[in-house]
C-alpha cells in the first residue's frame, strides 16, 4: 500500500449510495401544514413532540428537555459528539457563513434554518434497525412472507370490515374479532396492498423527493477527503464523512412568480403555503468523499482528491403516482415519481444549484480549496450566474431520489387523521405513506413519532 494513502481498492465504490442515517425532524411549519390539512392538531409539531421525545435518546444531556428525550430507544449523535474531527470542518462552516447562514446549535427543535452539525442515528457507528430496538414481545413475526391482500368481509353496519390478510402462498391469517389490520408496507407497497385488496384510486397516489448533486475537487494529495491517511481515525467510522447540515429558504419573489405560473387561478401572496414562514425549501450538505457519481456517468474514485456537495429540494409540488403492474403481489408496483414537473420545483432546484455553486466555487474558502468542478463529458463548470436552462440540463443528468417517499395513502384522502382507511372498518395504514405533506426532514424520526402517535 502507498504509504501516503489508505487502500480502498477492495471497495467497489459503485455500490456506495449517498450517505444515510440522518436523524432530522424537519421544520415545525411542515407539521403545521399537515395538521391544518387534516384538521387535527395531533399532527402538528407540538402534537408530535412528546413522541419525538419518547423515541429519542439524545446525545447532548444538557439539551433542552422540552425538545429532546434522553431515554428512548433511538440513539442519535452529532458529528463532534461521535469524536469525528474532519479537516475541512471549519473551512466549510466559514463558507456557509459567507453565504449569510447563521450557525445554530440544534436543527432538531423545529426551527432548522441555518447551519448546524449533522445528527445521525448511529450509536458507535452502527445504524440502528428499528426492529432491533423496539420490543417485539408478544408479536409473532413471519419473515420472507409477503402479504398479497387484505381480506375484507361485508358488514351490515360498516359496509366493509378487514378480517385478516392473505399471503402470497395463499394462506389466510385472520384477526380476532374487534382487532385491526395495520398495513405498514411503506410508501410504495402499502398502496399496492390496498389496491390489490380493491381499495384505492391511482390518481391520489403520490411520491416526492429529489436530490440534485454537484461534484467538486480539492487539490490532489490534500489529505482533506476520504482516501487519505487523515481518514484512518477509527472515529471516522462512526458516521458519514460530513460535518454540517444547512437548511434554508429560497428568494420569494421568483418563487412567487413560478407558483403563479403553476396556479394561474390562485392568489399567490405571502400567505401561500409555499411562501408562508419562510418555509425550509432546501437542505444542503458538503461530503468529504464522492458517492453515487456513477449514476451520472462519472468515474470518480474515493481517493482523497474529490469532495461532493448536494442539495435536497424538500417541498416538491410535483405529484407522482403508484399503480399496479399486475395482480401478482410479488411484482413491483409501477412508480412514476414525476420529478420536477412544476415551475416552482424547477426554480427551487435551480436555486439549490446556485447556492451550492456559490458555496463551492465562489466563496473565499472555496477559492482556496477547490480546483475545479468534475463535470460529465461535454459539459462545463456552472457558476451561480449560469442560465436556468444550463442548470436544468445538469439537473436532468444528476438528480436522483433521496428515498423519502411519503403520501401514497395520504391522510385526509385514503386514511383519516387516526390512520383509519376510509370506508373500511378495522383497517389502518401506519407508515410513511400516510404523511400528507412533504417534510423538510429525513423521514425516520417522523415515522417513529407517527407510529407512536397513532397508537396513543
Ligand atoms: C436507502 C435508504 C436510505 C435511507 N436513509 C434514511 C436516513 O438516513 N434517515 C432517514 O430519516 N430516513 C432514511 N430513509 C427513509 C426511511 O428509511 C423511510 O422513510 C422509512 O423507513 C419509512 O418507514 P415505513 O415504515 O413507512 O416503511 P419501511 O421502513 O419501508 O417498511 C416497510 C416494510 O414492509 C415490508 N413489506 C412491503 N410490502 C410487503 C408485503 N406485501 N408483505 C409483507 N411485507 C411487506 C417491507 O419489506 C418493509 O420491511 C432511507 C430510505 C432508503 C431506501
Amino acid at each position: 500500500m502507498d504509504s501516503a494513502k489508505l487502500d480502498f481498492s477492495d471497495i467497489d465504490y459503485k455500490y456506495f449510495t449517498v450517505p444515510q442515517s440522518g436523524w432530522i425532524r424537519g421544520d415545525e411549519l411542515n407539521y403545521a401544514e399537515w395538521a391544518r390539512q387534516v384538521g387535527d392538531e395531533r399532527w402538528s409539531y407540538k402534537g408530535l413532540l412528546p413522541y419525538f421525545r419518547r423515541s429519542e435518546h439524545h446525545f447532548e444531556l444538557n439539551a433542552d428537555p422540552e425538545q429532546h428525550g434522553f431515554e428512548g430507544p433511538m440513539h442519535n449523535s452529532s458529528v463532534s459528539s461521535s469524536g469525528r474531527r474532519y479537516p475541512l470542518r471549519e473551512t466549510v462552516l466559514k463558507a456557509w457563513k459567507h453565504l449569510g447562514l447563521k450557525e445554530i446549535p440544534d436543527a432538531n427543535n423545529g426551527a432548522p434554518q441555518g447551519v448546524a452539525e449533522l445528527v445521525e442515528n448511529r450509536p458507535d457507528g452502527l445504524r440502528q434497525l428499528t426492529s432491533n430496538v423496539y420490543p417485539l414481545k408478544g408479536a409473532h413475526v413471519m419473515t420472507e412472507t409477503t402479504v398479497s391482500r387484505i381480506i375484507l368481509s361485508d358488514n351490515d353496519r360498516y359496509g366493509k370490515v378487514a378480517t385478516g390478510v392473505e399471503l402470497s402462498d395463499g394462506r389466510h391469517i385472520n384477526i380476532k374479532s374487534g382487532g385491526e389490520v395495520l398495513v405498514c408496507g411503506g410508501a410504495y407497497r402499502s398502496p399496492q396492498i390496498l389496491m390489490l385488496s380493491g381499495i384505492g384510486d391511482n390518481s391520489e397516489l403520490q411520491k416526492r423527493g429529489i436530490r440534485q448533486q454537484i461534484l467538486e475537487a480539492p487539490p490532489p494529495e490534500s489529505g482533506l477527503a476520504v482516501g487519505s491517511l487523515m481518514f484512518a481515525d477509527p472515529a471516522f467510522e462512526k458516521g458519514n464523512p460530513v460535518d454540517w447540515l444547512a437548511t434554508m429558504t429560497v428568494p420569494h419573489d421568483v418563487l412567487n412568480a413560478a407558483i403563479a405560473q403553476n396556479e394561474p387561478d390562485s392568489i399567490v401572496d405571502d400567505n401561500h403555503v409555499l411562501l408562508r414562514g419562510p418555509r425550509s425549501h432546501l437542505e444542503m450538505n458538503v461530503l468529504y468523499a464522492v458517492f453515487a457519481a456513477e449514476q451520472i456517468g462519472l468515474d470518480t474514485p474515493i481517493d482523497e482528491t474529490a469532495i461532493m456537495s448536494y442539495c435536497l429540494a424538500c417541498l416538491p409540488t410535483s405529484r407522482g403516482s403508484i399503480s399496479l403492474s399486475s395482480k401478482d403481489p410479488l411484482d413491483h408496483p409501477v412508480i412514476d415519481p414525476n420529478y420536477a414537473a412544476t415551475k416552482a420545483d424547477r426554480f427551487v432546484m435551480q436555486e439549490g444549484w446556485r447556492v451550492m455553486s456559490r458555496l463551492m466555487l465562489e466563496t473565499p474558502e472555496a477559492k482556496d480549496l477547490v480546483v475545479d468542478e468534475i463535470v460529465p463529458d461535454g459539459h462545463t463548470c456552472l457558476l451561480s450566474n449560469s442560465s436556468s436552462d444550463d442548470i436544468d440540463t445538469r439537473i436532468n443528468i444528476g438528480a436522483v431520489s433521496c428515498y423519502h417517499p411519503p403520501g401514497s395513502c395520504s391522510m385526509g384522502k385514503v386514511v383519516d387523521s387516526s390512520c383509519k382507511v376510509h370506508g373500511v372498518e378495522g383497517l389502518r395504514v401506519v407508515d410513511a405513506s400516510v404523511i400528507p405533506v412533504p417534510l423538510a426532514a429525513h423521514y425516520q424520526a417522523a415515522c417513529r413519532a407517527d407510529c407512536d402517535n397513532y397508537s396513543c
Side-chain angles (χ1 to χ4, degrees):
M1 183 167 72
D2 183 324
S3 62
K5 286 192 177 176
L6 294 177
D7 183 4
F8 280 72
S9 57
D10 60 336
I11 295 178
D12 186 348
Y13 59 83
K14 285 192 173 55
Y15 294 103
F16 271 113
T17 179
V18 199
Q20 304 290 345
S21 70
W23 187 258
I24 300 162
R25 287 181 191 173
D27 194 316
E28 183 168 3
L29 292 173
N30 301 144
Y31 301 95
E33 180 56 19
W34 178 347
R36 192 193 65 79
Q37 273 193 22
V38 303
D40 188 336
E41 281 301 307
R42 284 182 298 172
W43 303 102
S44 68
Y45 183 79
K46 205 171 154 206
L48 285 170
L49 191 53
Y51 309 105
F52 278 133
R53 282 203 307 252
R54 196 158 88 174
S55 66
E56 192 180 72
H57 187 116
H58 194 64
F59 62 97
E60 171 58 79
L61 292 178
N62 295 323
D64 180 359
E66 293 289 314
Q67 288 290 336
H68 293 289
F70 306 94
E71 290 173 6
M74 302 302 282
H75 288 239
N76 58 36
S77 51
S78 67
V79 177
S80 59
S81 75
S82 77
R84 281 130 75 204
R85 297 280 180 273
Y86 293 111
L88 281 177
R89 181 180 170 87
E90 294 310 320
T91 310
V92 173
L93 179 61
K94 264 194 201 159
W96 278 120
K97 287 183 174 173
H98 254 114
L99 296 192
L101 270 79
K102 261 207 300 214
E103 187 180 355
I104 52 170
D106 184 3
N108 270 329
N109 62 3
Q113 287 182 27
V115 57
E117 271 199 276
L118 180 71
V119 172
E120 291 162 295
N121 163 235
R122 240 178 221 274
D124 284 329
L126 280 182
R127 190 166 180 181
Q128 280 180 299
L129 291 180
T130 314
S131 50
N132 287 347
V133 292
Y134 278 88
L136 288 169
K137 204 170 160 209
H140 177 74
V141 178
M142 300 168 76
T143 58
E144 306 296 321
T145 307
T146 303
V147 169
S148 51
R149 69 181 180 94
I150 318 291
I151 303 167
L152 300 172
S153 306
D154 290 325
N155 178 290
D156 287 346
R157 186 156 163 220
Y158 301 114
K160 292 277 177 207
V161 178
T163 56
V165 293
E166 181 178 294
L167 306 183
S168 60
D169 61 10
R171 276 180 296 163
H172 282 199
I173 313 260
N174 295 314
I175 54 169
K176 288 185 190 149
S177 167
E180 287 182 313
V181 175
L182 305 180
V183 177
C184 48
Y188 297 134
R189 294 288 185 167
S190 285
Q192 182 188 29
I193 295 170
L194 293 192
M195 285 189 282
L196 287 172
S197 313
I199 302 167
D201 176 348
N202 290 355
S203 67
E204 289 180 351
L205 305 176
Q206 303 168 353
K207 165 156 190 317
R208 304 155 201 176
I210 291 170
R211 171 169 49 225
Q212 62 189 75
Q213 59 180 32
I214 55 173
L215 311 169
E216 320 284 343
E221 310 301 329
S222 63
L224 297 176
V226 174
S228 89
L229 269 185
M230 293 170 86
F231 280 74
D233 183 342
F236 288 167
E237 290 172 19
K238 297 201 169 173
N240 295 298
V242 56
D243 278 304
W244 306 106
L245 175 86
T247 309
M248 59 192 288
T249 191
V250 295
H252 277 193
D253 48 346
V254 192
L255 181 59
N256 190 317
I259 299 168
Q261 286 187 42
N262 288 348
E263 304 171 19
D265 300 332
S266 311
I267 298 168
V268 184
D269 60 16
D270 288 349
N271 212 24
H272 188 278
V273 63
L274 289 179
L275 301 165
R276 207 186 298 146
R279 304 290 308 269
S280 298
H281 288 278
L282 292 169
E283 179 202 301
M284 289 170 282
N285 279 300
V286 177
L287 290 156
Y288 311 134
V290 173
F291 298 97
E294 75 288 349
Q295 293 183 20
I296 56 170
L298 293 175
D299 192 9
T300 310
I302 297 184
D303 71 349
E304 81 165 311
T305 64
I307 60 175
M308 160 184 182
S309 61
Y310 71 81
C311 78
L312 266 62
C314 299
L315 306 177
T317 55
S318 307
R319 295 293 174 262
S321 64
I322 297 178
S323 52
L324 295 176
S325 57
S326 77
K327 285 186 172 171
D328 185 346
L330 299 176
D331 281 349
H332 297 298
V334 178
I335 301 166
D336 174 7
N338 196 26
Y339 291 142
T342 64
K343 289 247 185 297
D345 290 359
R346 282 273 160 202
F347 166 68
V348 170
M349 294 172 76
Q350 289 157 7
E351 186 57 23
W353 188 289
R354 291 199 162 96
V355 174
M356 298 314 302
S357 293
R358 257 176 240 132
L359 180 85
M360 301 303 287
L361 300 166
E362 297 164 29
T363 56
E365 293 73 24
K367 285 185 175 152
D368 282 350
L369 174 71
V370 175
V371 176
D372 208 351
E373 182 185 2
I374 304 171
V375 295
D377 277 350
H379 292 262
T380 53
C381 172
L382 296 182
L383 295 172
S384 61
N385 61 1
S386 297
S387 75
S388 298
D389 284 350
D390 285 347
I391 295 176
D392 262 354
T393 304
R394 292 284 295 284
I395 289 172
N396 288 345
I397 299 171
V400 294
S401 170
C402 59
Y403 314 113
H404 297 161
S408 49
C409 299
S410 206
M411 194 178 283
K413 291 182 179 160
V414 179
V415 299
D416 69 13
S417 71
S418 294
C419 300
K420 292 182 177 172
V421 176
H422 287 306
V424 183
E425 185 63 17
L427 181 62
R428 299 194 206 212
V429 181
V430 287
D431 58 25
S433 68
V434 302
I435 300 175
V437 295
L439 308 175
H442 293 216
Y443 282 62
Q444 61 170 331
C447 288
R448 303 305 148 247
D450 300 347
C451 289
D452 249 5
N453 192 9
Y454 114 80
S455 62
C456 290

